Amino acid sequence: MAFDIDMIKKVYANFGSRIDAARKATGKPLTLTEKILYAHLWQGDATETYERGKSYVDFAPDRVAMQDATAQMALLQFMQSGRTKVAVPSTVHCDHLIEAKVDSKTDLDRAVHESSEVYDFLASVSNKYGIGFWKPGAGIIHQVVLENYAFPGGMMIGTDSHTVNAGGLGMIAIGVGGADACDVMAGLPWELKMPKLIGVNLTGKLNGWAAPKDVILKVAGILTVKGGTGAVVEYFGEGAVSMSCTGKGTICNMGAEIGATTSTFGYDESMSRYLKATGREDIAAAADAIKEHLTADADVYANPEKYFDQVININLSELEPHLNGPFTPDLATPISKMKEEAIKNGWPTKIEVGLIGSCTNSSYEDISRAVSLAKQVSEKGLTLKSEFTITPGSEQVRYTIERDGFLTVFDKIGATVFANACGPCIGMWARVGAEKAEKNTIVHSFNRNFAKRADGNPNTYAFVGSPEMVTAMAIAGDLTFNPLTDTLTNDKGEQVKLDPPTGYELPPTGFAVEDAGYQAPAEDGSGVQVIVSPTSDRLQLLAPFAPWEGTDLKNLRLLIKAKGKCTTDHISMAGKWLKYRGHLDNISNNLLIGATNFFNEKTDNVKSQLNGEYGPVPATQRFYKEEGIGTIVVGDENYGEGSSREHAAMEPRFLGVRAVLVKSFARIHETNLKKQGMLALTFADKEDYYKIQEDDKIDIIGLTEFAPGKQLQMVFNHADGTSDTINVNHTYNEQQIEWFKAGAALNIIRREFEANK
């Protein structure tokens, strides 16, 4: 069944004329990315050219998707907006709160019991405001969106950084914070800086052990974790056309790991096949009717250097399987070099666990290729040398692979099937023994491998690969094993080699499912009650943040000067903290507990200027808040990379941090800070980072003349009586400055709604 078919047909009805207007305004052929963006301008037809990397543009996304951990805060904010129903199709997906521990049924039953209060809240608020609700066990948001909601040429935002997965179906799909989602659901325009464009020309065709995952692992090695910041990556070429739709989704999904705004592919036969296989023949027919608009103009791909800011060429026929890691998804190692690198770097070579699935790699094709290797365990007299787990992406995928006998094959080799949820990929993994913090290696088909992410153990060396590569490595149990060239010893003492994986793009007999897990909202939600207990430790109604006081900020203190990588996992950890995602006060107790203090190289240990003692970051900040003293946080490069979680911005705002000053920001986190009324600032001279001392008292000067493009000054008054005054940059436009002055963007939404009643 196709959801929102009338909305999609309306988008397509205007598509051609919108693109004609954009071509006229820009005076040049258009990339696919530009076509979709210009077709979704809030104003309608384009009348000017927007400068990449500089122009702020208002867009009108077609839909919003939220996962349960971020939906809580997004919907708590939406409840303050005064609206009675969402303005665009929106969905909530319950996938983040299910801990992987025993098996799918046991874990799902436990989650439903433990998180019933949250699920009841999300179900009721969805029912009231016209939001589609996907129950626990229905699947991972991005796989469910690909199966049900993504459509070529569409534009969506989602409260998860891997919303970009929908680019596999030719969308512009972008991860945002809950405040952005709140704007769109409230019927307001969504603002984005016009992105730069990176073109990736794929020639040749994948073969043997190489998989779509290896494309993005290779790209991550080229661009690094911040090389795609502020850009959309558009894939094209014969190699792109030869890949499956779900393979394209895998590549787009991990685009979040290079900092890209999103990634996408032009509409082709693989997308048409996928739409038809998932019951959306009418969308395929509608897309076919305008297919010339759902890819770039011919000259763009013929002469990509003229139209993209950067072009990368990859020959898929020569692409080697990769394993990326440990501790960062951009440390790319071809499998032929892994033995050498592992020995050189002292990485543990015994693989303890192999994990496949997650939102990145849980399609039918992924599982079918992995099962082709699992079958060889018994056929070749081998034994699985590592623990092995499977996380299906949706109930539709799980039901179909069970019907087709895949789960039986996995069961025979001793694998564990977890619930259709995020599980270990986002730290919801009750791994036995992880608390011992022993040095060990795991391989997985997830997207991120930051320290502590999967199991909370800082000494778990996690490597990212394709599902088929992970399966092969788990069979061998050895990080130095190269399945392309090496043999294994079977139970007869013979040397045997694994055959390359094979699989099916789509189920030969079609998808099947008994209960997909969808719950439609009430036609009229006016009588639905949303109840939040004032004594709950899981949910808390929000109070508005205070507006700016109208003066420069004086006598602030330094909360922490973070050293090195500081992701949203470091700022607001997941794992056990996920249960507090709807309670701002409680979750604020994890503020920056993973960040490394520059002055003592410790985590969660900072000096209080009020008593000179060292203590946890959240407790120290609460002490400042009680005394009415504002603080700043100082950070390094690409501060806030990783997940889109806006809690990393809301927690410091709630506890009284006034500004975050860094060498550079990850895109989503910078926007989240702005939305919550924070000052997101960058060093004009990055060397000034080293001037900041632990006992500084800090002034921020120039706020009374705060204006786009105009630097602010910060004065660091040192304990010895000297001071340093530095210039700091910002990227605020006039509207974002109003967010700061009002105390948060939501305060303006509420104010405008009340004025128009």
Side-chain angles (χ1 to χ4, degrees):
M1 152 181 144
F3 289 89
D4 311 311
I5 186 64
D6 291 338
M7 176 270 285
I8 295 170
K9 287 181 176 178
K10 183 178 178 181
V11 171
Y12 284 177
N14 296 321
F15 217 81
S17 61
R18 293 279 180 93
I19 290 169
D20 288 341
R23 247 191 236 109
K24 182 178 179 181
T26 61
K28 68 177 186 65
L30 300 175
T31 64
L32 169 66
T33 302
E34 289 170 317
K35 287 183 178 182
I36 300 175
L37 291 175
Y38 278 104
H40 286 84
L41 293 177
W42 179 261
Q43 69 182 47
D45 287 353
T47 55
E48 63 180 298
T49 300
Y50 295 105
E51 189 174 355
R52 298 176 194 168
K54 292 189 177 180
S55 299
Y56 282 95
V57 186
D58 284 343
F59 292 102
D62 301 312
R63 65 174 315 108
V64 174
M66 297 165 280
Q67 42 93 334
D68 51 356
T70 52
Q72 295 172 61
M73 198 57 70
L75 293 174
L76 284 165
Q77 291 177 84
F78 180 76
M79 288 169 65
Q80 290 191 64
S81 72
R83 272 55 171 182
T84 58
K85 191 171 185 177
V86 291
V88 301
S90 304
T91 53
V92 167
H93 304 259
C94 296
D95 61 357
H96 270 58
L97 302 179
I98 303 168
E99 185 180 50
K101 185 175 184 179
V102 181
D103 56 43
S104 57
K105 184 181 186 308
T106 306
D107 295 344
L108 180 58
D109 288 347
R110 186 176 70 256
V112 169
H113 173 71
E114 292 179 351
S115 296
S116 59
E117 180 183 15
V118 172
Y119 292 142
D120 288 347
F121 165 74
L122 292 174
S124 62
V125 76
S126 297
N127 200 28
K128 182 175 183 64
Y129 294 108
I131 299 168
F133 181 72
W134 290 81
K135 296 180 285 188
I140 306 172
I141 176 173
H142 312 303
Q143 180 69 26
V144 173
V145 165
L146 198 71
E147 292 175 359
N148 295 276
Y149 298 112
F151 67 96
M155 185 181 195
M156 70 175 286
I157 61 169
T159 59
D160 189 284
S161 57
H162 293 104
T163 299
V164 295
N165 188 82
L169 250 176
M171 290 195 89
I172 290 294
I174 301 174
V176 300
D180 277 355
C182 180
D183 284 0
V184 175
M185 289 189 292
L188 301 176
W190 176 64
E191 183 187 72
L192 177 73
K193 186 182 288 185
M194 197 67 173
K196 294 184 177 181
L197 299 178
I198 298 173
V200 181
N201 183 15
L202 302 178
T203 58
K205 187 175 182 179
L206 292 168
N207 62 85
W209 285 89
K213 184 66 162 273
D214 297 305
V215 175
I216 186 58
L217 295 178
K218 173 78 172 177
V219 170
I222 295 169
L223 289 176
T224 76
V225 291
K226 66 173 187 174
T229 302
V232 172
V233 182
E234 185 172 321
Y235 292 85
F236 61 93
E238 60 178 351
V241 174
S242 70
M243 275 190 288
S244 68
C245 176
T246 52
K248 293 177 174 73
T250 290
I251 293 170
C252 292
N253 182 295
M254 255 194 91
E257 274 53 74
I258 58 173
T261 301
T262 192
S263 306
T264 195
F265 286 79
Y267 180 64
D268 61 21
E269 284 301 313
S270 71
M271 296 184 192
S272 179
R273 289 192 297 271
Y274 188 72
L275 286 168
K276 292 170 184 174
T278 50
R280 293 175 285 174
E281 294 87 350
D282 43 2
I283 297 177
D288 288 341
I290 64 162
K291 61 184 178 182
E292 73 273 18
H293 299 312
L294 299 175
T295 189
D297 289 335
D299 193 56
V300 171
Y301 294 159
N303 300 285
E305 289 79 9
K306 290 170 57 179
Y307 301 100
F308 292 98
D309 298 290
Q310 180 180 355
V311 177
I312 296 170
N313 295 290
I314 297 176
N315 185 342
L316 300 185
S317 300
E318 300 173 355
L319 183 63
E320 187 177 348
H322 281 61
L323 286 177
N324 283 25
F327 305 127
T328 185
D330 61 347
L331 182 55
T333 304
I335 192 64
S336 63
K337 302 290 185 185
M338 179 51 74
K339 182 175 182 178
E340 174 188 335
E341 290 297 312
I343 294 171
K344 181 176 72 176
N345 292 289
W347 299 335
T349 57
K350 182 179 184 296
I351 296 171
E352 302 291 342
V353 191
L355 308 97
I356 66 169
S358 85
C359 67
T360 325
N361 278 111
S362 55
S363 67
Y364 186 90
E365 181 181 39
D366 290 328
I367 304 300
S368 70
R369 286 174 63 84
V371 88
S372 75
L373 293 165
K375 287 178 180 176
Q376 297 179 49
V377 173
S378 57
E379 292 171 354
K380 295 179 183 288
L382 297 168
T383 303
L384 188 69
K385 295 293 176 61
S386 308
E387 289 182 46
F388 191 57
T389 71
I390 299 96
T391 304
S394 69
E395 175 58 15
Q396 179 167 265
V397 167
R398 189 213 64 80
Y399 189 93
T400 305
I401 63 174
E402 181 179 45
R403 179 203 66 189
D404 292 349
F406 294 175
L407 295 187
T408 301
V409 174
F410 287 131
D411 184 60
K412 284 181 179 177
I413 67 170
T416 300
V417 178
F418 287 140
N420 314 322
C422 299
C425 184
I426 50 107
M428 290 296 280
W429 182 21
R431 185 182 179 191
V432 176
E435 71 283 353
K436 298 176 184 176
E438 294 173 331
K439 193 174 178 179
N440 76 104
T441 284
I442 64 174
V443 292
H444 60 57
S445 68
F446 307 160
N447 39 46
R448 293 193 174 132
N449 57 348
F450 304 137
K452 301 183 182 181
R453 183 170 176 91
D455 61 2
N457 178 1
N459 297 313
T460 291
Y461 288 60
F463 295 85
V464 182
S466 67
E468 43 269 62
M469 185 56 60
V470 170
T471 304
M473 302 304 283
I475 292 170
D478 186 349
L479 191 62
T480 68
F481 175 68
N482 181 354
L484 284 71
T485 58
D486 298 346
T487 59
L488 297 168
T489 305
N490 70 6
D491 54 12
K492 296 178 182 177
E494 302 166 336
Q495 294 301 301
V496 297
K497 192 176 179 185
L498 293 173
D499 299 324
T502 59
Y504 300 95
E505 176 185 351
L506 296 163
T509 57
F511 283 107
V513 67
E514 285 186 347
D515 178 8
Y518 176 70
Q519 182 175 299
E523 284 294 323
D524 178 5
S526 58
V528 177
Q529 294 295 310
V530 179
I531 301 173
V532 176
S533 169
T535 60
S536 172
D537 70 347
R538 298 289 298 271
L539 296 165
Q540 180 187 47
L541 294 176
L542 296 175
F545 290 134
W548 172 55
E549 47 270 74
T551 63
D552 289 338
L553 302 180
K554 301 288 186 73
N555 211 27
L556 306 176
R557 304 299 200 276
L558 176 69
L559 174 60
I560 186 172
K561 179 167 150 180
K563 180 180 179 180
K565 188 183 283 286
C566 193
T567 71
T568 48
D569 275 348
H570 296 89
I571 305 167
S572 175
M573 285 187 176
K576 67 179 184 180
W577 294 96
L578 281 173
K579 64 183 179 181
Y580 298 124
R581 283 286 180 86
H583 198 293
L584 185 53
D585 192 15
N586 284 347
I587 199 170
S588 293
N589 288 321
N590 76 4
L591 175 66
L592 286 158
I593 62 176
T596 299
N597 184 353
F598 176 90
F599 297 104
N600 61 12
E601 302 282 337
K602 295 180 180 180
T603 58
D604 201 23
N605 189 265
V606 295
K607 183 178 181 180
S608 168
Q609 290 191 41
L610 299 182
N611 58 20
E613 297 177 0
Y614 285 85
V617 180
T620 302
Q621 180 57 37
R622 286 185 186 275
F623 195 8
Y624 285 130
K625 182 180 181 180
E626 288 172 8
E627 297 300 316
I629 297 172
T631 61
I632 75 164
V633 169
V634 174
D636 215 316
E637 296 280 9
N638 207 29
Y639 183 88
E641 72 170 278
S643 167
S644 68
R645 68 189 66 143
E646 66 181 338
H647 297 76
M650 295 188 77
E651 291 174 34
R653 179 75 172 99
F654 175 72
L655 290 182
V657 176
R658 302 302 301 269
V660 179
L661 172 64
V662 301
K663 294 180 182 178
S664 65
F665 281 107
R667 176 190 63 84
I668 299 176
H669 187 62
E670 182 180 22
T671 300
N672 286 347
L673 289 169
K674 292 177 179 180
K675 283 278 184 176
Q676 301 303 334
M678 294 275 283
L679 286 170
L681 309 172
T682 56
F683 292 99
D685 180 353
K686 293 181 180 181
E687 290 303 307
D688 288 341
Y689 170 89
Y690 298 99
K691 294 179 179 177
I692 300 168
Q693 299 175 22
E694 195 170 29
D695 294 312
D696 284 348
K697 295 179 180 177
I698 304 147
D699 302 332
I700 303 177
I701 309 299
L703 290 175
T704 53
E705 293 86 35
F706 196 7
K710 185 178 182 182
Q711 290 181 324
L712 299 173
Q713 284 72 48
M714 294 185 74
V715 182
F716 294 90
N717 300 293
H718 308 310
D720 64 2
T722 64
S723 67
D724 282 297
T725 300
I726 67 171
N727 291 325
V728 294
N729 298 330
H730 66 84
T731 60
Y732 287 75
N733 59 26
E734 291 181 1
Q735 176 177 270
Q736 293 167 347
I737 290 172
E738 291 306 310
W739 298 344
F740 166 73
K741 291 179 177 178
L746 185 58
N747 290 351
I748 295 177
I749 295 174
R750 187 188 311 104
R751 187 172 67 205
E752 290 176 349
F753 180 79
E754 292 296 327
N756 293 325
K757 263 188 173 180

